[in-house]
Amino acid sequence: MSTEAKHLHDWSATQYLKFKDERTQPARDLLSRVPLQAPKRVVDLGCGPGNSTAVLESRYPNAELKGIDSSPDMIQKARSTLPHLEFTVEDLNTYSPSSPVDLFYSNAVFQWLGKERRIEVIKRLMGTQPSGGAFALQVPDNLDEPSHALMRETAQSGPWATTLETVGRETFQSPQDIYDQLKPLCSEVNIFHTSYYHSLENHEAIIEWVKGTGLRPYLDPLQPQEKTGFLGDYLKRLKEAYPSSVDGRVLLRYPRLFVVAIKN
Ligand SMILES: C[S@@+](CC[C@H](N)C(=O)[O-])C[C@H]1O[C@@H](n2cnc3c(N)ncnc32)[C@H](O)[C@@H]1O
């Protein structure tokens, strides 16, 4: 892929940050379950624009804190927001820390790795941690929600169906699978689940939300006119699936899965 094409398909920090408060709440909830009191080294894996890194900094102001992300746009935004911290462009599939890390923390990232790579990456990184080190991650568990089911339905039923034939995110590993794979390395594997109900301004806001994340792989391959057609069709389906609330807003249910593992 050319640099220009890569850039076109890069994440957009601006689009992502449109729902910063809602996206950052799970980062806080994840961190509240990490039992480490004073980790020396902390790495935010897939730090995005630095919103999750700021949450880490407020709990661990004395830690050596770094963020890594594969998106140059995200890293640029993180550097400009938190210029005193170190941020580098790195791919999690190949990333390896230069010195042992007490806490690996990752909010809303591992669902983007290939299914077969996710546990492998966690195990490889945990293998570099000292005993008592923690690995904490949160991933959306929303593929069966109307917001995502209707994305797939729209993709399958328009003139873009062939172009989008192979697009789609793979389901995440089940809690049982995660537990069974990580427990041999860990003294504790804590898994929990929370459903958030975000009150959004209207149905169009659901599209704005997913445009920053899950809708990207569907829109990226389409021509401008197809994009407009896709979005119109998707919006119609969303309006049928999500009722308007008493105040005219729309409630977006958003289930998320959390894992906090402590190394043996
Ligand atoms: C939904 S954002 C999460 C950002 C932030 N952690 C937060 O809590 O809001 C997902 C991030 O994962 C990054 N990402 C996706 N695949 C990655 C990979 N293979 N290596 C590193 N970062 C990756 C994306 O660039 C994006 O910034």
Side-chain angles (χ1 to χ4, degrees):
M1 200 187 277
S2 72
T3 315
E4 192 182 337
K6 244 191 206 159
H7 186 68
L8 279 176
H9 291 187
D10 190 10
W11 286 71
S12 158
T14 309
Q15 184 68 32
Y16 186 71
L17 286 171
K18 282 185 184 167
F19 297 93
K20 183 174 175 218
D21 289 348
E22 289 87 348
R23 293 198 199 278
T24 308
Q25 187 58 46
R28 291 193 199 95
D29 295 345
L30 174 63
L31 190 55
S32 74
R33 298 285 291 265
V34 172
L36 306 188
Q37 295 310 320
K40 276 206 212 81
R41 288 202 190 87
V42 176
V43 177
D44 188 3
L45 303 169
C47 59
N51 52 318
S52 45
T53 326
V55 171
L56 285 167
E57 190 182 28
S58 59
R59 177 159 177 203
Y60 301 126
N62 300 321
E64 185 189 306
L65 180 54
K66 285 183 189 172
I68 66 142
D69 199 288
S70 54
S71 157
D73 190 52
M74 289 293 197
I75 287 294
Q76 200 181 357
K77 181 73 187 167
R79 283 182 183 145
S80 67
T81 311
L82 300 166
H84 52 292
L85 296 183
E86 187 183 333
F87 292 99
T88 44
V89 176
E90 297 256 16
D91 188 333
L92 261 170
N93 289 296
T94 48
Y95 164 73
S96 196
S98 46
S99 30
V101 171
D102 304 294
L103 170 61
F104 281 121
Y105 170 94
S106 184
N107 189 55
V109 179
F110 269 75
Q111 75 276 16
W112 293 106
L113 301 192
K115 188 163 184 170
E116 72 296 348
R117 301 301 310 276
R118 295 168 185 153
I119 300 285
E120 187 188 309
V121 171
I122 298 172
K123 282 184 175 170
R124 179 171 56 73
L125 290 175
M126 283 198 94
T128 67
Q129 289 187 279
S131 171
F135 198 112
L137 71 97
Q138 179 277 121
V139 288
D141 184 18
N142 59 354
L143 289 182
D144 291 334
E145 292 301 303
S147 55
H148 286 65
L150 296 176
M151 232 179 250
R152 294 192 294 274
E153 244 179 70
T154 308
Q156 284 156 13
S157 50
W160 41 75
T162 315
T163 315
L164 300 181
E165 214 168 28
T166 57
V167 176
R169 206 168 78 208
E170 294 167 296
T171 54
F172 207 79
Q173 277 75 358
S174 69
Q176 185 70 59
D177 195 15
I178 297 169
Y179 187 91
D180 288 342
Q181 296 250 25
L182 298 186
K183 189 63 184 63
L185 311 179
C186 297
S187 56
E188 272 179 62
V189 180
N190 295 315
I191 303 176
F192 54 105
H193 198 269
T194 302
S195 282
Y196 297 83
Y197 287 81
H198 300 299
S199 164
L200 303 185
E201 194 181 348
N202 49 30
H203 294 89
E204 285 79 354
I206 301 181
I207 297 191
E208 282 308 304
W209 178 297
V210 294
K211 257 188 188 170
T213 51
L215 196 58
R216 296 174 49 249
Y218 291 93
L219 293 184
D220 284 346
L222 301 184
Q223 298 304 317
Q225 214 178 342
E226 286 178 316
K227 267 185 202 167
T228 310
F230 184 106
L231 290 174
D233 194 352
Y234 179 45
L235 179 62
K236 217 168 111 209
R237 289 169 199 267
L238 290 174
K239 284 184 172 170
E240 281 161 18
Y242 289 91
S244 291
S245 307
V246 65
D247 57 357
R249 296 173 72 88
V250 177
L251 271 191
L252 176 68
R253 192 170 87 115
Y254 209 116
R256 295 180 182 267
L257 178 71
F258 298 75
V259 181
V260 178
I262 308 297
K263 171 113 184 264
N264 262 333

